Coordinates of all heavy atoms in Angstrom, one line a residue:
M1 N 0.8 -1.2 0.0 CA 0.0 0.0 0.0 C 0.9 1.2 0.0 O 0.4 2.3 -0.6 CB -0.9 0.0 1.2 CG -2.0 -1.0 1.1 SD -3.3 -0.9 2.3 CE -4.0 0.6 2.0
L2 N 2.0 1.2 0.6 CA 2.9 2.3 0.6 C 3.5 2.6 -0.7 O 3.5 3.8 -1.1 CB 4.1 2.1 1.6 CG 5.1 3.2 1.7 CD1 4.3 4.4 2.4 CD2 6.2 2.7 2.7
L3 N 3.7 1.6 -1.5 CA 4.2 1.8 -2.9 C 3.1 2.5 -3.8 O 3.3 3.4 -4.7 CB 4.7 0.6 -3.6 CG 6.0 0.1 -3.0 CD1 6.4 -1.3 -3.6 CD2 7.1 1.1 -3.1
Q4 N 1.8 2.0 -3.5 CA 0.7 2.6 -4.3 C 0.5 4.1 -3.9 O 0.3 5.0 -4.8 CB -0.6 1.8 -3.9 CG -0.7 0.4 -4.5 CD -0.8 0.6 -6.1 OE1 -1.2 1.6 -6.7 NE2 -0.5 -0.5 -6.7
L5 N 0.8 4.3 -2.6 CA 0.7 5.8 -2.2 C 1.8 6.6 -2.8 O 1.6 7.7 -3.3 CB 0.7 5.9 -0.6 CG 0.7 7.3 -0.1 CD1 -0.6 8.0 -0.4 CD2 1.0 7.3 1.4
L6 N 2.9 6.1 -2.9 CA 4.0 6.7 -3.5 C 3.8 6.9 -5.0 O 4.1 8.0 -5.5 CB 5.3 5.9 -3.4 CG 6.6 6.5 -3.9 CD1 6.9 7.8 -3.2 CD2 7.7 5.5 -3.8
T7 N 3.1 5.9 -5.7 CA 2.8 6.1 -7.1 C 1.9 7.2 -7.3 O 1.9 8.0 -8.3 CB 2.3 4.9 -7.7 OG1 3.3 3.7 -7.5 CG2 2.0 4.9 -9.1
A8 N 0.8 7.3 -6.4 CA -0.2 8.3 -6.5 C 0.3 9.8 -6.3 O 0.0 10.6 -7.0 CB -1.4 8.0 -5.5
V9 N 1.2 9.8 -5.3 CA 1.9 11.1 -5.0 C 2.7 11.5 -6.2 O 2.8 12.7 -6.6 CB 2.7 11.0 -3.7 CG1 3.5 12.2 -3.5 CG2 1.8 10.9 -2.5
A10 N 3.4 10.6 -6.8 CA 4.3 11.0 -8.0 C 3.4 11.4 -9.1 O 3.8 12.3 -9.9 CB 5.2 9.7 -8.3
A11 N 2.3 10.7 -9.3 CA 1.5 11.2 -10.4 C 0.9 12.6 -10.2 O 0.8 13.4 -11.1 CB 0.2 10.1 -10.5
L12 N 0.5 12.9 -9.0 CA 0.1 14.2 -8.6 C 1.2 15.2 -8.8 O 1.0 16.4 -9.3 CB -0.5 14.3 -7.2 CG -1.9 13.6 -6.9 CD1 -2.2 13.6 -5.5 CD2 -2.9 14.3 -7.8
A13 N 2.3 14.9 -8.4 CA 3.5 15.8 -8.6 C 3.7 15.9 -10.1 O 4.1 17.2 -10.5 CB 4.7 15.2 -8.0
G14 N 3.7 15.0 -10.9 CA 3.8 15.1 -12.3 C 2.8 15.9 -12.9 O 3.1 16.8 -13.9
A15 N 1.5 15.7 -12.5 CA 0.5 16.6 -13.0 C 0.7 18.1 -12.7 O 0.5 19.0 -13.5 CB -0.8 16.1 -12.5
A16 N 1.1 18.3 -11.4 CA 1.4 19.7 -11.0 C 2.6 20.4 -11.8 O 2.4 21.5 -12.2 CB 1.7 19.7 -9.5
C17 N 3.6 19.6 -12.0 CA 4.7 20.1 -12.9 C 4.3 20.4 -14.3 O 4.7 21.4 -14.8 CB 5.9 19.1 -12.8 SG 6.7 19.0 -11.2
S18 N 3.5 19.5 -14.8 CA 3.1 19.8 -16.2 C 2.2 21.0 -16.3 O 2.3 21.8 -17.2 CB 2.4 18.6 -16.9 OG 1.2 18.3 -16.1
L19 N 1.3 21.3 -15.3 CA 0.5 22.5 -15.3 C 1.3 23.7 -15.0 O 1.1 24.7 -15.7 CB -0.6 22.4 -14.2 CG -1.7 21.3 -14.4 CD1 -2.6 21.2 -13.3 CD2 -2.5 21.8 -15.6
L20 N 2.4 23.6 -14.2 CA 3.2 24.8 -14.0 C 4.1 25.1 -15.2 O 4.4 26.3 -15.5 CB 4.2 24.5 -12.8 CG 3.6 24.5 -11.5 CD1 4.4 24.1 -10.3 CD2 2.9 25.8 -11.1
A21 N 4.5 24.1 -16.0 CA 5.4 24.3 -17.2 C 4.5 24.6 -18.4 O 5.2 24.9 -19.4 CB 6.1 22.9 -17.4
E22 N 3.2 24.6 -18.3 CA 2.4 24.9 -19.4 C 2.7 26.3 -20.1 O 2.8 26.4 -21.2 CB 1.0 24.8 -19.1 CG 0.0 25.0 -20.2 CD -1.5 24.9 -19.9 OE1 -1.7 24.5 -18.7 OE2 -2.3 25.0 -20.7
G23 N 2.8 27.3 -19.2 CA 3.1 28.5 -19.7 C 4.5 29.0 -19.8 O 4.8 30.1 -20.2
S24 N 5.4 28.0 -19.6 CA 6.9 28.3 -19.8 C 7.5 28.3 -21.2 O 8.6 28.6 -21.3 CB 7.7 27.2 -18.9 OG 7.3 27.3 -17.6
G25 N 6.7 27.9 -22.1 CA 7.1 27.9 -23.4 C 7.6 26.5 -24.0 O 7.4 25.6 -23.3
T26 N 8.2 26.5 -25.0 CA 8.6 25.2 -25.7 C 9.8 24.6 -25.0 O 10.0 23.3 -25.1 CB 8.8 25.3 -27.2 OG1 9.9 26.3 -27.4 CG2 7.6 25.9 -27.9
G27 N 10.5 25.3 -24.2 CA 11.7 24.7 -23.7 C 11.3 23.6 -22.6 O 11.9 22.6 -22.5
A28 N 10.3 24.0 -21.8 CA 10.0 23.1 -20.8 C 9.2 21.8 -21.4 O 9.4 20.8 -20.9 CB 9.1 23.8 -19.8
I29 N 8.4 22.1 -22.3 CA 7.7 21.0 -23.1 C 8.6 20.1 -23.8 O 8.3 18.9 -23.7 CB 6.5 21.6 -23.9 CG1 5.5 22.4 -23.0 CG2 5.9 20.6 -24.7 CD1 4.5 23.1 -23.8
S30 N 9.6 20.6 -24.3 CA 10.5 19.7 -25.1 C 11.4 18.8 -24.2 O 11.8 17.8 -24.6 CB 11.4 20.6 -26.0 OG 12.3 21.3 -25.1
G31 N 11.4 19.2 -22.9 CA 12.0 18.2 -22.0 C 11.0 17.3 -21.3 O 11.5 16.0 -21.0
I32 N 9.8 17.7 -21.2 CA 8.7 16.8 -20.5 C 8.3 15.7 -21.4 O 8.1 14.5 -21.1 CB 7.7 17.7 -19.9 CG1 8.2 18.5 -18.8 CG2 6.5 16.8 -19.5 CD1 7.2 19.6 -18.3
L33 N 8.0 16.1 -22.7 CA 7.4 15.1 -23.6 C 8.3 13.9 -23.9 O 7.7 12.7 -23.8 CB 7.0 15.8 -25.0 CG 6.2 15.0 -25.9 CD1 4.9 14.6 -25.4 CD2 6.1 15.8 -27.2
P34 N 9.6 14.0 -24.2 CA 10.4 12.8 -24.3 C 10.5 11.9 -23.1 O 10.5 10.7 -23.1 CB 11.7 13.3 -24.7 CG 11.6 14.7 -25.2 CD 10.3 15.2 -24.5
F35 N 10.5 12.6 -21.9 CA 10.6 11.8 -20.6 C 9.2 11.0 -20.4 O 9.3 9.9 -20.0 CB 10.7 12.8 -19.5 CG 10.8 12.2 -18.1 CD1 11.9 11.4 -17.8 CD2 9.8 12.2 -17.2 CE1 12.0 10.9 -16.5 CE2 9.8 11.6 -16.1 CZ 11.0 10.9 -15.7
T36 N 8.1 11.6 -20.7 CA 6.8 11.0 -20.6 C 6.7 9.8 -21.5 O 6.2 8.7 -21.2 CB 5.7 11.9 -20.8 OG1 5.8 13.0 -19.8 CG2 4.3 11.2 -20.5
A37 N 7.1 10.1 -22.9 CA 7.0 9.0 -23.8 C 7.8 7.9 -23.5 O 7.6 6.6 -23.7 CB 7.2 9.6 -25.2
G38 N 9.1 8.2 -23.0 CA 10.1 7.1 -22.7 C 9.5 6.3 -21.5 O 9.8 5.1 -21.5
G39 N 8.8 6.9 -20.6 CA 8.2 6.2 -19.5 C 7.1 5.1 -20.0 O 7.2 3.9 -19.7
F40 N 6.3 5.6 -21.0 CA 5.3 4.6 -21.5 C 5.9 3.6 -22.4 O 5.6 2.4 -22.2 CB 4.4 5.4 -22.4 CG 3.3 6.2 -21.6 CD1 3.3 7.5 -21.7 CD2 2.3 5.5 -20.9 CE1 2.3 8.3 -21.0 CE2 1.4 6.2 -20.2 CZ 1.3 7.6 -20.2
I41 N 7.0 3.9 -23.1 CA 7.7 2.8 -23.9 C 8.4 1.9 -23.0 O 8.4 0.7 -23.2 CB 8.7 3.5 -24.9 CG1 7.9 4.3 -26.0 CG2 9.6 2.5 -25.6 CD1 8.7 5.2 -26.8
Y42 N 9.1 2.4 -21.9 CA 9.7 1.5 -21.0 C 8.7 0.5 -20.3 O 8.9 -0.7 -20.2 CB 10.4 2.3 -19.9 CG 11.0 1.5 -18.8 CD1 12.1 0.9 -19.0 CD2 10.3 1.4 -17.6 CE1 12.6 0.0 -17.9 CE2 10.8 0.6 -16.5 CZ 11.9 -0.1 -16.7 OH 12.6 -0.8 -15.7
L43 N 7.5 1.0 -19.8 CA 6.6 0.2 -19.2 C 6.1 -0.8 -20.2 O 5.9 -2.1 -19.9 CB 5.4 0.9 -18.7 CG 5.6 1.8 -17.5 CD1 4.4 2.6 -17.1 CD2 6.0 0.8 -16.4
G44 N 5.9 -0.4 -21.5 CA 5.4 -1.4 -22.5 C 6.3 -2.5 -22.8 O 6.0 -3.7 -23.0
T45 N 7.6 -2.1 -22.9 CA 8.6 -3.1 -23.4 C 9.1 -4.0 -22.2 O 9.4 -5.2 -22.4 CB 9.8 -2.5 -24.0 OG1 10.4 -1.5 -23.1 CG2 9.3 -1.8 -25.3
V46 N 9.2 -3.4 -21.0 CA 9.8 -4.1 -19.9 C 8.8 -5.1 -19.1 O 9.1 -6.2 -18.8 CB 10.6 -3.3 -18.9 CG1 11.1 -4.0 -17.8 CG2 11.8 -2.7 -19.7
S47 N 7.7 -4.5 -18.8 CA 6.7 -5.2 -18.0 C 5.6 -5.9 -18.9 O 5.2 -7.0 -18.5 CB 6.1 -4.2 -17.0 OG 5.4 -3.2 -17.7
V48 N 5.1 -5.3 -19.9 CA 4.0 -5.9 -20.6 C 4.5 -6.9 -21.7 O 3.9 -8.0 -21.8 CB 3.2 -4.8 -21.3 CG1 2.0 -5.3 -22.2 CG2 2.6 -3.9 -20.2
L49 N 5.5 -6.6 -22.4 CA 6.0 -7.4 -23.5 C 6.4 -8.9 -23.0 O 5.9 -9.8 -23.8 CB 7.1 -6.8 -24.3 CG 7.5 -7.4 -25.6 CD1 6.4 -7.4 -26.6 CD2 8.6 -6.6 -26.2
P50 N 7.1 -9.1 -22.0 CA 7.4 -10.4 -21.6 C 6.1 -11.3 -21.2 O 6.0 -12.4 -21.5 CB 8.3 -10.4 -20.4 CG 9.0 -9.0 -20.6 CD 7.9 -8.2 -21.2
E51 N 5.2 -10.5 -20.7 CA 3.9 -11.2 -20.2 C 3.1 -11.5 -21.5 O 2.5 -12.7 -21.5 CB 3.1 -10.2 -19.4 CG 1.9 -10.8 -18.8 CD 2.2 -11.7 -17.6 OE1 3.3 -11.7 -16.9 OE2 1.4 -12.6 -17.3
I52 N 3.1 -10.7 -22.5 CA 2.4 -11.0 -23.7 C 3.0 -12.2 -24.4 O 2.3 -13.3 -24.8 CB 2.5 -9.8 -24.7 CG1 1.6 -8.7 -24.3 CG2 2.1 -10.3 -26.1 CD1 1.8 -7.5 -25.0
L53 N 4.4 -12.2 -24.5 CA 5.0 -13.4 -25.1 C 4.9 -14.8 -24.4 O 4.9 -15.8 -25.0 CB 6.5 -13.0 -25.5 CG 6.7 -11.9 -26.3 CD1 8.1 -11.6 -26.5 CD2 6.1 -12.2 -27.7
R54 N 4.7 -14.7 -23.1 CA 4.7 -15.9 -22.3 C 3.3 -16.5 -22.3 O 3.3 -17.8 -22.2 CB 5.1 -15.6 -20.9 CG 5.2 -16.8 -20.0 CD 5.7 -16.5 -18.6 NE 5.5 -15.1 -18.1 CZ 6.5 -14.2 -17.7 NH1 7.7 -14.6 -17.8 NH2 6.1 -13.0 -17.3
N55 N 2.3 -15.8 -22.3 CA 0.9 -16.3 -22.1 C 0.1 -16.3 -23.4 O -1.1 -16.4 -23.2 CB 0.2 -15.5 -21.0 CG 1.0 -15.7 -19.6 OD1 1.5 -16.8 -19.4 ND2 0.9 -14.7 -18.8
S56 N 0.5 -16.1 -24.5 CA -0.4 -15.9 -25.7 C 0.2 -16.9 -26.9 O 1.4 -17.3 -26.7 CB -0.3 -14.5 -26.2 OG -0.8 -13.7 -25.3
S57 N -0.6 -17.2 -27.8 CA -0.3 -18.0 -28.9 C 0.4 -17.0 -29.9 O 0.5 -15.8 -29.7 CB -1.5 -18.4 -29.7 OG -2.3 -17.3 -30.3
P58 N 1.3 -17.6 -30.8 CA 2.1 -16.7 -31.6 C 1.3 -15.7 -32.4 O 1.7 -14.5 -32.6 CB 2.7 -17.8 -32.6 CG 2.8 -19.0 -31.9 CD 1.5 -19.0 -31.0
G59 N 0.1 -16.0 -32.9 CA -0.7 -15.1 -33.7 C -1.2 -14.0 -32.7 O -1.2 -12.8 -33.1
Q60 N -1.6 -14.3 -31.5 CA -2.1 -13.4 -30.5 C -0.9 -12.4 -30.2 O -1.2 -11.2 -30.0 CB -2.8 -14.0 -29.4 CG -3.4 -13.1 -28.4 CD -4.6 -12.3 -28.9 OE1 -5.3 -12.8 -29.8 NE2 -5.0 -11.2 -28.4
S61 N 0.2 -13.0 -29.9 CA 1.4 -12.2 -29.5 C 1.7 -11.2 -30.7 O 2.1 -10.1 -30.4 CB 2.6 -13.0 -29.4 OG 2.3 -14.0 -28.2
L62 N 1.6 -11.6 -31.9 CA 1.9 -10.7 -33.0 C 1.0 -9.5 -33.0 O 1.4 -8.4 -33.2 CB 2.0 -11.4 -34.3 CG 2.2 -10.6 -35.6 CD1 3.6 -10.1 -35.5 CD2 2.0 -11.4 -36.8
L63 N -0.4 -9.8 -32.8 CA -1.3 -8.8 -32.8 C -1.1 -7.8 -31.6 O -1.2 -6.5 -31.8 CB -2.7 -9.4 -32.7 CG -3.2 -10.0 -34.0 CD1 -4.6 -10.7 -33.7 CD2 -3.3 -9.0 -35.1
Q64 N -0.7 -8.3 -30.5 CA -0.5 -7.5 -29.3 C 0.8 -6.6 -29.5 O 0.8 -5.5 -29.2 CB -0.5 -8.3 -28.0 CG -1.8 -8.8 -27.7 CD -1.7 -9.9 -26.6 OE1 -0.6 -10.3 -26.2 NE2 -2.9 -10.1 -26.0
L65 N 1.8 -7.2 -30.1 CA 3.0 -6.5 -30.4 C 2.7 -5.3 -31.4 O 3.2 -4.2 -31.3 CB 4.1 -7.4 -30.9 CG 5.5 -6.8 -31.2 CD1 6.1 -6.1 -30.0 CD2 6.4 -7.8 -31.8
L66 N 1.9 -5.6 -32.5 CA 1.5 -4.6 -33.4 C 0.7 -3.5 -32.7 O 1.0 -2.3 -33.1 CB 0.8 -5.2 -34.6 CG 1.7 -6.1 -35.5 CD1 0.7 -6.7 -36.5 CD2 2.7 -5.3 -36.2
A67 N -0.1 -3.8 -31.8 CA -0.8 -2.8 -31.1 C 0.1 -2.0 -30.2 O -0.1 -0.7 -30.2 CB -1.9 -3.5 -30.1
L68 N 1.1 -2.6 -29.6 CA 2.1 -1.8 -28.8 C 2.8 -0.8 -29.8 O 3.0 0.4 -29.4 CB 3.0 -2.8 -28.2 CG 4.1 -2.1 -27.4 CD1 3.6 -1.5 -26.1 CD2 5.2 -3.2 -27.0
L69 N 3.3 -1.3 -30.9 CA 4.0 -0.5 -31.9 C 3.1 0.7 -32.4 O 3.6 1.8 -32.6 CB 4.6 -1.3 -33.0 CG 5.7 -2.3 -32.5 CD1 6.1 -3.2 -33.8 CD2 6.8 -1.6 -32.0
A70 N 1.8 0.3 -32.6 CA 0.9 1.4 -33.0 C 0.7 2.4 -31.9 O 0.6 3.7 -32.3 CB -0.5 0.8 -33.3
G71 N 0.7 2.1 -30.7 CA 0.6 3.1 -29.6 C 1.9 3.9 -29.6 O 1.9 5.2 -29.4
V72 N 3.1 3.4 -29.9 CA 4.3 4.2 -29.9 C 4.2 5.2 -31.2 O 4.7 6.3 -31.0 CB 5.6 3.3 -30.0 CG1 6.8 4.0 -30.4 CG2 5.7 2.5 -28.8
A73 N 3.7 4.7 -32.3 CA 3.6 5.5 -33.5 C 2.6 6.7 -33.2 O 2.8 7.8 -33.6 CB 3.1 4.6 -34.6
M74 N 1.6 6.4 -32.5 CA 0.6 7.5 -32.1 C 1.3 8.5 -31.3 O 1.0 9.7 -31.4 CB -0.6 6.9 -31.4 CG -1.6 6.2 -32.3 SD -3.0 5.6 -31.4 CE -3.5 4.1 -32.3
M75 N 2.1 8.1 -30.3 CA 2.8 9.0 -29.5 C 3.8 9.9 -30.4 O 3.9 11.1 -30.2 CB 3.6 8.4 -28.4 CG 2.7 7.9 -27.3 SD 3.6 7.3 -25.8 CE 4.3 5.8 -26.4
L76 N 4.4 9.4 -31.4 CA 5.2 10.1 -32.2 C 4.5 11.0 -33.1 O 4.8 12.1 -33.3 CB 6.0 9.0 -33.1 CG 7.2 8.4 -32.6 CD1 7.6 7.3 -33.5 CD2 8.2 9.2 -32.0
L77 N 3.3 10.6 -33.6 CA 2.4 11.6 -34.4 C 1.9 12.7 -33.5 O 1.9 13.9 -33.9 CB 1.2 10.8 -34.9 CG 1.6 9.9 -36.1 CD1 0.4 9.0 -36.5 CD2 2.0 10.7 -37.3
I78 N 1.5 12.5 -32.3 CA 1.2 13.5 -31.4 C 2.2 14.5 -31.1 O 2.0 15.7 -31.2 CB 0.6 12.9 -30.1 CG1 -0.8 12.2 -30.4 CG2 0.4 14.0 -29.0 CD1 -1.4 11.3 -29.2
A79 N 3.4 13.9 -30.9 CA 4.6 14.8 -30.6 C 5.0 15.6 -31.8 O 5.3 16.8 -31.7 CB 5.7 14.0 -30.2
H80 N 4.8 15.2 -32.9 CA 5.1 15.8 -34.1 C 4.1 16.9 -34.5 O 4.5 18.0 -34.9 CB 5.1 14.8 -35.3 CG 5.6 15.4 -36.6 ND1 6.9 16.0 -36.9 CD2 4.8 15.6 -37.8 CE1 6.9 16.6 -38.1 NE2 5.7 16.4 -38.6
Y81 N 2.9 16.7 -34.4 CA 1.8 17.7 -34.7 C 1.3 18.5 -33.6 O 0.6 19.4 -33.9 CB 0.6 16.9 -35.4 CG 0.9 16.3 -36.7 CD1 0.9 14.9 -37.0 CD2 1.2 17.1 -37.8 CE1 1.3 14.4 -38.2 CE2 1.5 16.6 -39.0 CZ 1.5 15.1 -39.2 OH 1.8 14.7 -40.5
E82 N 1.8 18.3 -32.5 CA 1.3 19.1 -31.4 C 2.2 20.3 -31.3 O 3.0 20.9 -31.2 CB 1.3 18.4 -30.0 CG 0.5 19.1 -29.1 CD 0.3 18.2 -27.7 OE1 -0.6 17.3 -27.9 OE2 1.1 18.4 -26.8

């Protein structure tokens, strides 16, 4: 429960930092966006990907891997056009 509390406090701190950095210009945003995207990619590849490959059939694993890559591509598109 303590780790859940720590995660919740970190999420609130991250939200507060992003709200404070909103008016700072592109300098702050250019540092926050890669950090956030890297966190999502890390979680997807380190914790989710081994679980997918261990408990699924090869066809299902391929579909889930393609969905993961589609999510990464969407983050790149959002970063490019935002």
Side-chain angles (χ1 to χ4, degrees):
M1 289 188 67
L2 183 61
L3 290 176
Q4 288 291 340
L5 178 65
L6 180 65
T7 303
V9 169
L12 286 174
C17 287
S18 67
L19 289 174
L20 291 173
E22 183 179 1
S24 299
T26 59
I29 294 173
S30 66
I32 293 171
L33 187 62
F35 180 75
T36 305
F40 282 116
I41 293 170
Y42 172 78
L43 286 175
T45 56
V46 171
S47 63
V48 176
L49 192 59
E51 189 73 24
I52 288 171
L53 295 175
R54 184 178 25 239
N55 294 331
S56 299
S57 67
Q60 185 70 21
S61 295
L62 180 63
L63 287 175
Q64 291 173 345
L65 181 59
L66 289 174
L68 178 70
L69 292 175
V72 171
M74 284 182 210
M75 285 191 285
L76 287 172
L77 286 173
I78 290 170
H80 181 69
Y81 288 112
E82 194 170 284

